[in-house]
Amino acid sequence: MTQVGHRTARALLRRLAVEQAECRVPSLTAAIVRDGATAWFGGRGRVDGAAPTAATQYRLGSITKSMVAVVVMRLRDEGALRLTDPLHEHLPGAPLGHLTIAQLLSHTAGLTAEPPTDWWERTPGVPAAELMARLGPGELKHRPGRRFHYSNVGFALLGELVARLRGITWLKAVRAEVLDPLGDGMPVEGM
Protein backbone atom coordinates (compact mmCIF):
# COMPACT_ATOMS: atom_id res chain seq x y z
CA MET A 1 0.00 0.00 0.00
CA THR A 2 1.35 3.41 -0.91
CA GLN A 3 1.22 5.86 1.93
CA VAL A 4 0.31 9.44 2.58
CA GLY A 5 2.54 11.53 4.82
CA HIS A 6 2.15 11.47 8.60
CA ARG A 7 0.78 15.04 8.75
CA THR A 8 -1.65 14.30 5.91
CA ALA A 9 -2.84 11.14 7.67
CA ARG A 10 -3.40 13.10 10.91
CA ALA A 11 -5.31 15.82 9.03
CA LEU A 12 -7.47 13.20 7.30
CA LEU A 13 -8.29 11.46 10.59
CA ARG A 14 -9.18 14.83 12.11
CA ARG A 15 -11.47 15.49 9.13
CA LEU A 16 -13.19 12.14 9.72
CA ALA A 17 -13.69 13.02 13.39
CA VAL A 18 -15.25 16.37 12.44
CA GLU A 19 -17.56 14.73 9.89
CA GLN A 20 -18.63 12.07 12.36
CA ALA A 21 -19.42 14.66 15.01
CA GLU A 22 -21.12 17.19 12.72
CA CYS A 23 -23.18 14.59 10.86
CA ARG A 24 -23.89 12.61 14.03
CA VAL A 25 -23.15 9.24 12.44
CA PRO A 26 -22.17 6.23 14.54
CA SER A 27 -19.46 5.12 12.13
CA LEU A 28 -17.77 6.12 8.89
CA THR A 29 -14.83 5.18 6.73
CA ALA A 30 -12.85 6.92 4.01
CA ALA A 31 -9.98 6.04 1.71
CA ILE A 32 -7.63 7.65 -0.75
CA VAL A 33 -6.78 5.61 -3.81
CA ARG A 34 -3.80 6.39 -6.02
CA ASP A 35 -3.06 4.48 -9.20
CA GLY A 36 -5.51 1.77 -8.20
CA ALA A 37 -3.96 1.18 -4.76
CA THR A 38 -5.17 2.34 -1.37
CA ALA A 39 -2.86 5.11 -0.22
CA TRP A 40 -4.74 5.79 3.01
CA PHE A 41 -7.67 4.35 4.92
CA GLY A 42 -9.33 5.70 8.03
CA GLY A 43 -12.31 4.74 10.12
CA ARG A 44 -14.16 6.25 13.08
CA GLY A 45 -16.80 4.96 15.43
CA ARG A 46 -18.12 1.46 16.03
CA VAL A 47 -19.93 -1.13 13.91
CA ASP A 48 -21.33 -4.06 15.87
CA GLY A 49 -19.02 -3.14 18.75
CA ALA A 50 -15.81 -2.94 16.73
CA ALA A 51 -13.89 -0.24 14.88
CA PRO A 52 -14.71 -0.21 11.17
CA THR A 53 -12.13 -1.71 8.81
CA ALA A 54 -11.65 -1.60 5.05
CA ALA A 55 -13.76 -4.78 4.92
CA THR A 56 -16.70 -3.30 6.86
CA GLN A 57 -19.89 -3.34 4.81
CA TYR A 58 -22.53 -0.71 5.50
CA ARG A 59 -26.14 -0.77 4.42
CA LEU A 60 -26.51 0.99 1.11
CA GLY A 61 -29.39 3.15 2.25
CA SER A 62 -30.00 6.31 0.29
CA ILE A 63 -26.92 5.95 -1.92
CA THR A 64 -29.13 3.81 -4.13
CA LYS A 65 -31.00 6.97 -5.08
CA SER A 66 -27.91 8.30 -6.82
CA MET A 67 -27.48 5.02 -8.64
CA VAL A 68 -31.11 4.93 -9.79
CA ALA A 69 -30.73 8.54 -10.91
CA VAL A 70 -27.71 7.56 -13.04
CA VAL A 71 -29.80 4.95 -14.85
CA VAL A 72 -32.69 7.41 -15.29
CA MET A 73 -30.29 9.93 -16.82
CA ARG A 74 -28.89 7.26 -19.13
CA LEU A 75 -32.45 6.52 -20.26
CA ARG A 76 -32.84 10.24 -20.90
CA ASP A 77 -29.59 10.34 -22.87
CA GLU A 78 -30.78 7.37 -24.94
CA GLY A 79 -34.02 9.20 -25.76
CA ALA A 80 -36.21 6.73 -23.87
CA LEU A 81 -37.69 9.54 -21.75
CA ARG A 82 -37.59 13.26 -21.11
CA LEU A 83 -37.24 14.70 -17.64
CA THR A 84 -40.37 16.75 -18.27
CA ASP A 85 -42.43 13.60 -18.96
CA PRO A 86 -45.20 12.90 -16.49
CA LEU A 87 -44.74 9.53 -14.81
CA HIS A 88 -47.94 8.09 -16.32
CA GLU A 89 -46.37 8.23 -19.80
CA HIS A 90 -44.04 5.42 -18.74
CA LEU A 91 -46.05 3.85 -15.92
CA PRO A 92 -49.63 3.85 -17.21
CA GLY A 93 -52.14 3.92 -14.39
CA ALA A 94 -49.54 4.96 -11.79
CA PRO A 95 -51.08 6.89 -8.94
CA LEU A 96 -49.93 10.49 -8.94
CA GLY A 97 -48.83 9.91 -12.53
CA HIS A 98 -48.98 13.63 -13.27
CA LEU A 99 -45.70 14.13 -11.38
CA THR A 100 -42.73 14.62 -13.68
CA ILE A 101 -39.56 12.58 -13.72
CA ALA A 102 -37.59 15.76 -12.95
CA GLN A 103 -39.75 16.45 -9.90
CA LEU A 104 -39.21 12.91 -8.63
CA LEU A 105 -35.44 13.10 -9.20
CA SER A 106 -35.12 16.46 -7.45
CA HIS A 107 -37.41 15.65 -4.49
CA THR A 108 -39.77 18.44 -5.56
CA ALA A 109 -42.76 16.25 -6.47
CA GLY A 110 -44.38 17.01 -3.11
CA LEU A 111 -44.56 13.34 -2.12
CA THR A 112 -44.42 12.11 1.44
CA ALA A 113 -41.02 10.99 2.66
CA GLU A 114 -41.98 7.42 3.52
CA PRO A 115 -44.29 4.89 1.88
CA PRO A 116 -47.58 3.90 3.49
CA THR A 117 -46.13 0.57 4.65
CA ASP A 118 -44.54 -0.90 7.75
CA TRP A 119 -41.47 0.84 9.12
CA TRP A 120 -39.40 1.18 5.97
CA GLU A 121 -35.96 0.84 7.56
CA ARG A 122 -36.67 -2.55 9.03
CA THR A 123 -38.67 -4.20 6.28
CA PRO A 124 -37.58 -5.48 2.88
CA GLY A 125 -40.17 -3.32 1.14
CA VAL A 126 -43.13 -4.34 -0.95
CA PRO A 127 -43.46 -5.12 -4.65
CA ALA A 128 -43.95 -2.04 -6.83
CA ALA A 129 -47.51 -3.00 -7.75
CA GLU A 130 -48.46 -3.23 -4.07
CA LEU A 131 -46.76 0.07 -3.26
CA MET A 132 -48.54 1.83 -6.12
CA ALA A 133 -51.86 0.34 -4.99
CA ARG A 134 -51.31 1.94 -1.56
CA LEU A 135 -50.44 5.39 -2.92
CA GLY A 136 -53.11 8.01 -3.13
CA PRO A 137 -53.68 11.74 -2.79
CA GLY A 138 -52.76 11.54 0.91
CA GLU A 139 -49.13 10.92 -0.04
CA LEU A 140 -48.95 14.29 -1.79
CA LYS A 141 -47.84 16.69 0.96
CA HIS A 142 -46.99 19.76 -1.12
CA ARG A 143 -47.92 21.19 -4.49
CA PRO A 144 -45.55 19.63 -7.06
CA GLY A 145 -42.62 21.89 -7.89
CA ARG A 146 -43.22 24.14 -4.90
CA ARG A 147 -40.49 23.01 -2.53
CA PHE A 148 -37.87 20.41 -1.75
CA HIS A 149 -39.26 17.53 0.33
CA TYR A 150 -37.13 14.39 0.58
CA SER A 151 -39.05 11.37 -0.67
CA ASN A 152 -38.18 7.69 -0.65
CA VAL A 153 -41.56 7.15 -2.34
CA GLY A 154 -40.48 9.22 -5.35
CA PHE A 155 -37.40 7.09 -5.83
CA ALA A 156 -39.41 3.89 -5.43
CA LEU A 157 -41.47 5.12 -8.38
CA LEU A 158 -38.30 5.94 -10.32
CA GLY A 159 -37.01 2.45 -9.57
CA GLU A 160 -40.16 1.00 -11.11
CA LEU A 161 -39.75 3.33 -14.09
CA VAL A 162 -36.22 1.97 -14.61
CA ALA A 163 -37.48 -1.61 -14.27
CA ARG A 164 -40.21 -1.12 -16.86
CA LEU A 165 -38.00 0.65 -19.39
CA ARG A 166 -35.05 -1.71 -18.97
CA GLY A 167 -37.14 -4.89 -18.70
CA ILE A 168 -35.24 -6.01 -15.59
CA THR A 169 -35.41 -5.03 -11.93
CA TRP A 170 -33.97 -1.65 -10.96
CA LEU A 171 -31.42 -3.55 -8.89
CA LYS A 172 -30.19 -5.54 -11.90
CA ALA A 173 -30.10 -2.36 -13.99
CA VAL A 174 -28.02 -0.56 -11.35
CA ARG A 175 -25.68 -3.52 -11.06
CA ALA A 176 -25.23 -3.82 -14.83
CA GLU A 177 -24.96 -0.12 -15.63
CA VAL A 178 -23.33 1.41 -12.55
CA LEU A 179 -21.62 -1.15 -10.31
CA ASP A 180 -20.25 -3.80 -12.70
CA PRO A 181 -18.48 -1.25 -14.93
CA LEU A 182 -16.50 -0.13 -11.88
CA GLY A 183 -14.79 -3.50 -12.10
CA ASP A 184 -13.47 -3.78 -8.58
CA GLY A 185 -14.95 -7.23 -8.16
CA MET A 186 -16.21 -6.48 -4.68
CA PRO A 187 -19.53 -8.12 -3.92
CA VAL A 188 -22.32 -5.81 -2.87
CA GLU A 189 -24.36 -7.62 -0.27
CA GLY A 190 -28.07 -7.74 -1.06
CA MET A 191 -27.57 -6.73 -4.68
Side-chain angles (χ1 to χ4, degrees):
M1 170 165 94
T2 60
Q3 299 289 319
V4 299
H6 179 68
R7 286 188 346 189
T8 301
R10 274 194 349 209
L12 291 168
L13 284 173
R14 183 181 187 299
R15 184 69 197 147
L16 278 183
V18 169
E19 284 298 311
Q20 183 189 22
E22 287 180 357
C23 297
R24 300 183 341 221
V25 294
S27 170
L28 71 135
T29 62
I32 293 177
V33 177
R34 288 188 184 137
D35 299 320
T38 302
W40 175 84
F41 170 85
R44 295 269 314 165
R46 310 299 270 170
V47 177
D48 296 327
T53 69
T56 300
Q57 290 189 10
Y58 294 92
R59 288 184 63 204
L60 282 175
S62 290
I63 192 80
T64 57
K65 289 177 182 65
S66 299
M67 295 178 198
V68 167
V70 166
V71 179
V72 169
M73 296 306 285
R74 290 184 70 170
L75 287 162
R76 189 264 334 247
D77 291 350
E78 294 165 9
L81 58 81
R82 292 180 318 273
L83 298 182
T84 55
D85 289 346
L87 188 61
H88 67 77
E89 284 188 21
H90 304 284
L91 294 178
L96 308 167
H98 66 288
L99 302 173
T100 69
I101 294 167
Q103 290 169 333
L104 295 170
L105 282 169
S106 63
H107 296 282
T108 59
L111 285 172
T112 185
E114 306 307 336
T117 60
D118 291 334
W119 189 26
W120 62 275
E121 267 194 348
R122 300 293 182 250
T123 61
V126 297
E130 184 179 337
L131 174 64
M132 287 196 291
R134 293 181 183 192
L135 294 178
E139 275 62 59
L140 200 57
K141 302 300 182 188
H142 307 284
R143 188 177 77 238
R146 182 171 176 230
R147 63 181 279 199
F148 176 87
H149 184 81
Y150 189 86
S151 177
N152 287 309
V153 174
F155 270 81
L157 293 170
L158 289 169
E160 182 59 13
L161 170 79
V162 164
R164 298 254 184 110
L165 293 179
R166 285 293 190 230
I168 56 177
T169 67
W170 71 266
L171 197 56
K172 287 181 180 177
V174 162
R175 182 187 298 273
E177 297 184 38
V178 180
L179 299 175
D180 287 349
L182 295 175
D184 67 359
M186 292 187 63
V188 178
E189 196 165 315
M191 292 192 88

